[in-house]
Amino acid sequence: KIKNIIIGSVIFIIPSIAYIIIRHIIVAKYSITSNISIVDNFLIGAKDPATHFASAVMLLGKYLLLLIIPYQLVCDYSFNQIPIVGVDDISFIVSFILFATIGIYAVLNFRKKNPIVFGLLFFLITLSLYSNIFFEVGSSFAERFMFLPSLGFSIFFVFLISNLLKVESKVKNQTEIEILKSKPVFTALFILILSLFSVKTITRAAEWKSQETLFSIDVKNSPNSAHMHFYRGLSIDDQAKKEKDSLKKITIRYQAVEQYEKGLSIYPEYANCFEKLGLAYNDLNDPDKSLYNFNNFIKHFPNKAEAWNFTGVIYFKQGNTDKAIENYKKAISLDSSYADAYFNMGLILGNVKRYDEAIYYFKKCIPIEPDEPRWYKFIGTAYQCLDKNDEARIWLDKANEVSLINKKPEKEKKREY
């Protein structure tokens, strides 16, 4: 009865409405297109609404295909692994007909309250949230989006098989085992499918053992995904950090560089690849390439203080004092609480014997990180260079005091760069 349905649903409807309202209030403050990159959701690159719709419907077909035949699963399908299609593409046409048929069947049989129809509706409604048809989400296609829809699909499939077996069964009140025994062909097919899915589950789970195993396998299965090559580069970089042999470490870092370069070849505006290449080439003692990549990264993220500070460090190493100071000032202007930028500014000013200015910047670090002994040590050193030994002793003693409090000298804070 409608009355009973409404009463039983209130406990779910009220929090659902509250959640949707709160989410809308928060999300409405932001521009969706500015937060979603084409490298994450390739549908943003569709040239017109028709192409966008056709590509989104094509992806629905791919979801359904993977639910039925989960072959060659991949953790990332982003740009440009799956191509955009038009309304004349066969994959769109087949997918559209299939989902239109499912939708029409569910609507026409809605009032029958059939579990099969419920499963189909559950599948369609939850799938619509990730379909990119009604609104764009952060990714164009992802297996994880099928977590909820797969429940509806399973409900549909189980009741469909159950009904088919019961319709064909001439003996009433048969147990499941008796039904299976009476249908050897179905039972054999059932065991085969169960075995295949079990093997696939075990082997795919093994591939998720670590970043190394997952990305090394999936980059082969999704070779046109810029993200996939970026992730593979990150996993190789992790190997390099663990490698103690310096020559092997260099070889491994070049393997990471190769992956980042492939990511850029797929998506030339991939800022994250520029950033990681800048760091990699710096470690490989190639400052020119490091600067090139970091400057490209800054074009995409001009307000990231850490990037300006890092390029300042490279200019400092190259002896380009003016450019280094310019970049440090930019980093400070973007983040007035960025202790490393103040410290680096102090270092370079001290290097050109502008000790009073160096002291000014070293002292700026203290309110930000008062328990860091380096600030006090370099202030004392700068005063020594000014032949103000009494003042220098005060600051050097303070450095020792802070080091003892921290129970280890020259405490290094984990930093982004």
Side-chain angles (χ1 to χ4, degrees):
K1 297 179 180 179
I2 297 297
K3 181 181 177 181
N4 292 341
I5 291 174
I6 293 174
I7 293 173
S9 301
V10 165
I11 194 171
F12 298 109
I13 292 172
I14 292 176
S16 296
I17 292 175
Y19 168 78
I20 291 171
I21 292 173
I22 293 171
R23 183 184 185 278
H24 175 73
I25 291 172
I26 295 173
V27 175
K29 299 177 183 178
Y30 305 96
S31 171
I32 293 177
T33 54
S34 65
N35 291 330
I36 301 177
S37 168
I38 190 174
V39 76
D40 295 310
N41 189 336
F42 72 87
L43 293 173
I44 292 176
K47 60 183 180 180
D48 53 60
T51 304
H52 184 286
F53 176 75
S55 299
V57 172
M58 174 269 293
L59 292 176
L60 295 182
K62 186 172 179 63
Y63 278 130
L64 190 57
L65 180 62
L66 283 178
L67 276 174
I68 299 171
I69 308 175
Y71 171 70
Q72 206 171 69
L73 301 177
V74 179
C75 66
D76 184 88
Y77 294 85
S78 56
F79 187 90
N80 196 22
Q81 181 60 29
I82 304 174
I84 287 178
V85 300
V87 292
D88 58 342
D89 191 274
I90 187 64
S91 59
F92 159 71
I93 296 171
V94 172
S95 183
F96 181 81
I97 293 173
L98 187 58
F99 274 85
T101 303
I102 294 173
I104 292 171
Y105 175 82
V107 171
L108 293 178
N109 293 276
F110 178 76
R111 295 182 64 84
K112 295 181 180 179
K113 299 179 183 178
N114 188 323
I116 291 178
V117 176
F118 175 81
L120 290 175
L121 286 173
F122 192 102
F123 172 70
L124 293 175
I125 292 170
T126 53
L127 177 59
S128 70
L129 298 174
Y130 312 102
S131 66
N132 283 284
I133 293 176
F134 303 102
F135 51 85
E136 290 172 337
V137 297
S139 180
S140 49
F141 187 92
E143 292 164 12
R144 64 184 181 277
F145 291 162
M146 284 297 97
F147 181 74
L148 275 177
S150 67
L151 173 58
F153 181 81
S154 297
I155 291 171
F156 155 75
F157 187 78
V158 168
F159 278 98
L160 176 65
I161 294 298
S162 178
N163 285 357
L164 289 175
L165 291 176
K166 286 180 180 178
V167 168
E168 294 179 4
S169 176
K170 296 179 180 179
V171 183
K172 294 183 179 180
N173 300 321
Q174 281 185 316
T175 65
E176 287 81 356
I177 297 298
E178 288 172 337
I179 292 174
L180 291 176
K181 286 182 177 179
S182 67
K183 311 236 177 251
V185 175
F186 171 82
T187 302
L189 185 62
F190 168 75
I191 294 173
L192 174 63
I193 294 175
L194 182 64
S195 300
L196 291 173
F197 273 62
S198 298
V199 170
K200 184 61 179 178
T201 300
I202 294 169
T203 56
R204 183 57 179 165
E207 293 170 357
W208 278 83
K209 179 182 178 181
S210 65
Q211 286 191 120
E212 167 61 24
T213 57
L214 178 64
F215 298 150
S216 63
I217 293 170
D218 281 9
V219 76
K220 298 174 184 176
N221 296 330
S222 188
N224 296 319
S225 166
H227 263 335
M228 202 67 257
H229 288 289
F230 175 71
Y231 295 148
R232 178 58 179 143
L234 291 179
S235 66
I236 294 173
D237 269 338
D238 286 342
Q239 294 179 51
K241 292 174 184 176
K242 299 173 185 177
E243 180 58 57
K244 296 181 180 180
D245 186 291
S246 57
L247 291 178
K248 288 183 180 179
K249 180 175 291 215
I250 291 173
T251 301
I252 295 173
R253 288 311 297 270
Y254 273 115
Q255 291 173 1
V257 165
E258 181 183 0
Q259 292 299 322
Y260 297 137
E261 295 282 8
K262 285 182 179 179
L264 281 173
S265 69
I266 296 169
Y267 181 57
E269 301 300 315
Y270 199 173
N272 290 343
C273 284
F274 281 125
E275 181 184 33
K276 293 303 178 182
L277 281 170
L279 293 171
Y281 279 121
N282 180 67
D283 291 344
L284 294 169
N285 295 315
D286 194 334
D288 292 335
K289 287 186 178 179
S290 181
L291 274 176
Y292 169 80
N293 283 285
F294 253 103
N295 284 332
N296 275 292
F297 174 73
I298 288 173
K299 289 178 183 178
H300 294 85
F301 292 97
N303 295 323
K304 190 164 185 178
E306 293 87 351
W308 288 97
N309 177 66
F310 189 80
T311 51
V313 171
I314 300 175
Y315 282 124
F316 183 22
K317 290 179 180 179
Q318 290 182 325
N320 193 338
T321 302
D322 293 338
K323 196 67 177 175
I325 291 175
E326 178 186 327
N327 282 33
Y328 291 145
K329 285 183 177 179
K330 180 65 177 180
I332 292 169
S333 69
L334 291 171
D335 186 356
S336 60
S337 63
Y338 191 12
D340 276 2
Y342 287 115
F343 180 67
N344 287 333
M345 180 68 88
L347 287 177
I348 198 167
L349 291 171
N351 191 58
V352 294
K353 300 182 179 180
R354 291 158 61 177
Y355 301 117
D356 287 319
E357 294 177 71
I359 291 170
Y360 167 81
Y361 282 101
F362 287 142
K363 287 183 177 180
K364 282 282 189 178
C365 302
I366 296 174
I368 303 170
E369 295 181 40
D371 61 344
E372 174 56 64
R374 286 184 299 162
W375 320 146
Y376 307 99
K377 177 181 176 180
F378 278 90
I379 292 173
T381 303
Y383 275 121
Q384 283 181 331
C385 293
L386 291 170
D387 292 327
K388 295 182 179 181
N389 294 320
D390 292 339
E391 191 77 12
R393 177 50 48 198
I394 294 173
W395 288 98
L396 292 173
D397 288 344
K398 180 66 176 177
N400 291 329
E401 178 186 336
V402 172
S403 294
L404 290 173
I405 292 174
N406 293 336
K407 294 184 180 181
K408 69 175 187 177
E410 303 296 330
K411 186 185 79 170
E412 285 294 332
K413 180 182 176 184
K414 185 177 179 181
R415 304 180 191 281
E416 186 165 0
Y417 295 142

